[in-house]
Every structure is written in C-alpha cells, then in structure tokens.
C-alpha cells in the first residue's frame, strides 16, 4: 500500500503508546483514522488530541478479546468512513513471569488479547478490505519477543511467536490479492505497557523483574520513531519490521542454533535410513514463503 492519502485505517490499542503514535502518523499522512481501545477515557482523550491536530478521526471502544466487539467495531468503521483499507492489530498486554509464575487464567488472558485479538481483527476486517478491490494492508504488532524467546516473559513471548507465525502465513495467503501483511517487531519502547500490567490486579509479578522491565521501557525508543519507521516500511511492503537494530544479534543467535540443529540432522545415520527425511516437500496447498 504505497499511497495512504484518502484511505481509512482501523487501529486497536490506539489510546496509548505505539498505537496512538501509529494513529498520529497515519492521520498526518492524510488517512481517516478509526481509533479503538478497551480504555474509553484514554480513547476519548486521544481522539480530541488528534482532532486538534486536524486529523479526520473517530473512535469505538473494543476489547479485542471479544469477537462480537471487534465485528461491531468493523460495522461502526464502515458506517463512519464507508471503506477500510488498513487494519492495525496493535493492542497487547505484557505479563512478566516464567512457567511457575503465571496462573492458567493469566495465560488465557494473554493469549486472548495478544493472539486471538489479532485473529478477531483479521476475521472482522479482512472481508471488508477484500470487498472494495482497492487493495490494503494488515499490520500486526508483534515484538522482537516473537523471534527470540525470553524466559522472564514466557506467556508474552509465546503469544508474540504466534503473532509472527500468523503474519507470515497470512502474507503468503494474500500474496496475489494486493493486500500486504507485516509484523512490527519492536524492542523496548517508551510506553505504558509495564504500568498497565502493574495497575491490573489480575497480574502479580516479581518486584525486581518488574523494576527491570520498567527501567528498560522508560529508556526505550520513542513510540513516534517506531511508528514513523513502521509506516514507511508498510509502504514498501515489508513483511518484517524490526525497529531496534541492536536486537539483531539475539535473533541471529536463534537462527544459528536452528542451522546447527539441521546440520546435526543431516549427519545422522538414523535419519538417513528413512527416505522421507530427504524427500522434497511437494504437497498441494503448502508453499514456502517467498520473502
Ligand atoms: N513497549 C514496548 O516495549 C513494546 C515492545 C514490543 C512490542 N510491543 C507491543 O506493542 C503493542 C502496543 O503496546 P504499547 O507498548 O504501546 O503499550 P501501551 O500499554 O502503552 O498501549 C497498549 C494499548 O492497548 C490497549 N489494550 C490493552 N488491552 C486491550 C484489549 N483487550 N482490547 C483493546 N485494547 C487493549 C491499552 O488500553 C493501551 O491503550 C503491544 O502489542 C505490545 O505487545 C511493545
């Protein structure tokens, strides 16, 4: 989606942080912006702020974990702006803790918001983007934690790996439909993500670890820079959008471990006994990603 002017974007988690910054960048590029968030007070303030800056925008309260709320938000967007071209699945929550720290209810909430929220967005908005034939884009906010697994945020990292996988598969599915798909994979960014976690009575976490994350986020990148780079990359049709070059080594370390595991498999006499181990994949409907 090279040109943004006179098109419409719908953004989840748009009342704060990266979502609000994305709304600003899209608005200043001449898009109509539908902001949505679970926090109605912050959402109202965000809309006022954007309108004061001359952005054509409106808002709808929506908990992305609720499919009916997402469908309602999609209907309101069409009623208000007629068409939608750009879906930004950005809402997300952070929970700190490893395998023995988080309750199953916490796991479920993280998956419901961070993963099913994206699924609900695609379910409600993809048919609308397809329907007008003008093309469009879907941007999913994942994280560098969707490529590198961090034990201190096990549930969060698990959810973000799912977002990356979903994004890659969707990009492949929409390859010939003039609808681009990207995964935004930031590192620490200066937002409310840790304070949102600590102010929620549902999520208990280790005080020292929380302080460490608080410090990292407070010293993180500006959400405005993350958003400006993200939209520039969307316009270039990038699949992966990494905003923190210093996280490259961590991602490379994982790739190297995978390469090493394959090298070991290729040297295995046991695996060589089975001809399927080396037969090339040729199954209808399974494509190797092109990017
Ligand atoms: N801040 C970082 O360091 C960082 C790094 C990598 C990825 N991310 C990702 O960026 C995205 C945005 O987070 P942020 O850092 O701007 O945090 P933030 O807390 O400042 O903003 C998140 C927004 O999402 C909203 N939200 C939370 N749960 C919701 C729900 N169920 N339905 C709708 N809205 C909901 C919040 O009310 C808030 O306005 C998240 O997906 C997060 O995982 C953040």
């Amino acid at each position: 989606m090279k040109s943004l002017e006179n098109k419409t974007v719908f953004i989840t988690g748009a009342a704060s942080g990266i979502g609000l910054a994305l709304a600003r960048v899209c608005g200043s590029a001449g898009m109509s912006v539908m902001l949505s968030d679970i926090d109605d007070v912050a959402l109202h303030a965000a809309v006022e702020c954007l309108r004061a800056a001359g952005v054509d925008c409106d808002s709808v309260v929506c908990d992305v974990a609720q499919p009916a709320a997402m469908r309602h938000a999609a209907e309101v967007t069409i009623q208000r702006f007629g068409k939608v071209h750009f879906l930004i699945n950005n809402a997300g929550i952070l929970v700190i803790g490893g395998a023995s720290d988080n309750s199953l209810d916490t796991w479920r909430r993280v998956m419901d918001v961070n993963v099913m929220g994206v699924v609900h967005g695609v379910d409600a908005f993809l048919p609308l983007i397809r329907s007008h034939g003008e093309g469009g884009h879907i941007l999913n906010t994942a994280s560098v934690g969707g490529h590198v697994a961090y034990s201190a945020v096990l549930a969060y990292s698990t959810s973000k790996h799912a977002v990356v996988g979903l994004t890659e598969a969707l990009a492949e599915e929409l390859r010939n439909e003039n609808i681009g798909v990207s995964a935004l994979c930031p590192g620490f960014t200066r937002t409310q993500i840790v304070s949102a976690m600590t102010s929620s009575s549902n999520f208990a976490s280790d005080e020292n670890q929380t302080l460490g994350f608080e410090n990292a986020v407070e010293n993180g990148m500006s959400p405005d820079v993350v958003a400006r780079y993200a939209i520039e990359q969307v316009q270039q049709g990038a699949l992966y959008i990494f905003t923190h070059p210093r996280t490259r080594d961590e991602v490379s370390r994982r790739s190297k471990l995978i390469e090493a595991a394959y090298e070991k498999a290729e040297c295995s006499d046991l695996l060589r006994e089975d001809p399927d181990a080396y037969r090339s994949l040729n199954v209808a409907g399974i494509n190797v990603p092109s990017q």
Side-chain angles (χ1 to χ4, degrees), residues 13 16 18 37 62-64 90 141-142 156 160 186-189 191-192:
S16 169
I18 295 172
D37 204 282
C62 167
D63 175 354
V64 297
N90 165 78
T141 304
Y156 180 80
K160 294 299 184 178
F188 288 117
T189 306
T191 71
Q192 302 303 314

Side-chain angles (χ1 to χ4, degrees), residues 255-282:
S255 307
K256 282 181 194 144
L257 284 173
I258 292 170
E259 284 300 316
Y262 269 114
E263 274 157 28
K264 214 193 266 181
E266 281 164 9
C267 295
S268 162
D269 293 335
L270 172 63
L271 295 178
R272 214 167 287 133
E273 281 171 23
D274 189 322
D276 262 350
Y278 280 86
R279 197 172 290 154
S280 64
L281 193 64
N282 186 17

Side-chain angles (χ1 to χ4, degrees), residues 1-17:
M1 201 175 57
K2 286 195 175 72
S3 154
L4 303 177
E5 217 169 354
N6 300 322
K7 290 182 177 159
T8 300
V9 58
F10 173 86
I11 310 174
T12 69
S16 169

Side-chain angles (χ1 to χ4, degrees), residues 72-268:
H72 171 71
E75 275 168 29
V76 173
T77 305
I78 296 302
Q79 278 162 13
R80 176 65 174 80
F81 293 114
K83 286 177 191 166
V84 61
H85 303 82
F86 189 11
L87 164 66
I88 304 184
N89 288 308
N90 165 78
I93 51 171
L94 173 73
V95 173
I96 295 171
S100 49
D101 300 318
N102 297 144
S103 68
L104 289 180
D105 281 347
T106 297
W107 269 96
R108 263 186 218 105
R109 184 65 186 161
V110 171
M111 296 313 242
D112 280 350
V113 175
N114 292 5
V115 183
M116 292 312 294
V118 177
V119 174
H120 298 154
V122 172
D123 174 68
F125 281 86
L126 178 57
L128 302 175
I129 297 174
R130 274 180 165 144
S131 68
H132 51 65
E134 295 171 13
H137 203 96
I138 298 174
L139 173 66
N140 298 325
T141 304
S143 167
V144 74
H147 296 268
V148 181
Y150 298 113
S151 60
V153 284
L154 179 60
Y156 180 80
S157 236
T158 305
S159 71
K160 294 299 184 178
H161 273 70
V163 174
V164 170
L166 185 161
T167 306
E168 290 170 340
L170 191 62
E172 183 56 27
E173 181 178 337
L174 302 182
R175 196 158 50 107
N176 299 318
E177 294 192 43
N178 194 22
I179 301 172
V181 187
S182 311
L184 171 58
C185 306
F188 288 117
T189 306
R190 226 160 37 239
T191 71
Q192 302 303 314
I193 197 158
V194 178
S195 51
M197 182 201 70
T198 49
S199 64
S200 163
S201 52
N202 298 328
F203 306 133
S205 65
D206 178 271
E207 211 169 304
N208 276 341
Q209 273 187 333
T210 304
L211 277 176
F213 273 91
E214 220 158 43
N215 192 34
V217 163
E218 271 169 19
N219 290 295
M221 264 178 81
S222 144
D224 291 321
V225 174
V226 169
R228 273 164 44 205
Y229 182 70
I231 297 303
E232 183 190 297
Q233 289 300 301
V234 162
Q235 291 183 277
Q236 292 178 21
L239 173 58
Y240 304 113
I241 306 173
F242 288 101
T243 51
H244 292 55
R246 67 185 150 82
T247 61
R248 180 178 180 164
D249 285 352
E250 296 172 63
V251 178
S252 301
R253 209 172 303 134
R254 178 173 190 260
S255 307
K256 282 181 194 144
L257 284 173
I258 292 170
E259 284 300 316
Y262 269 114
E263 274 157 28
K264 214 193 266 181
E266 281 164 9
C267 295
S268 162

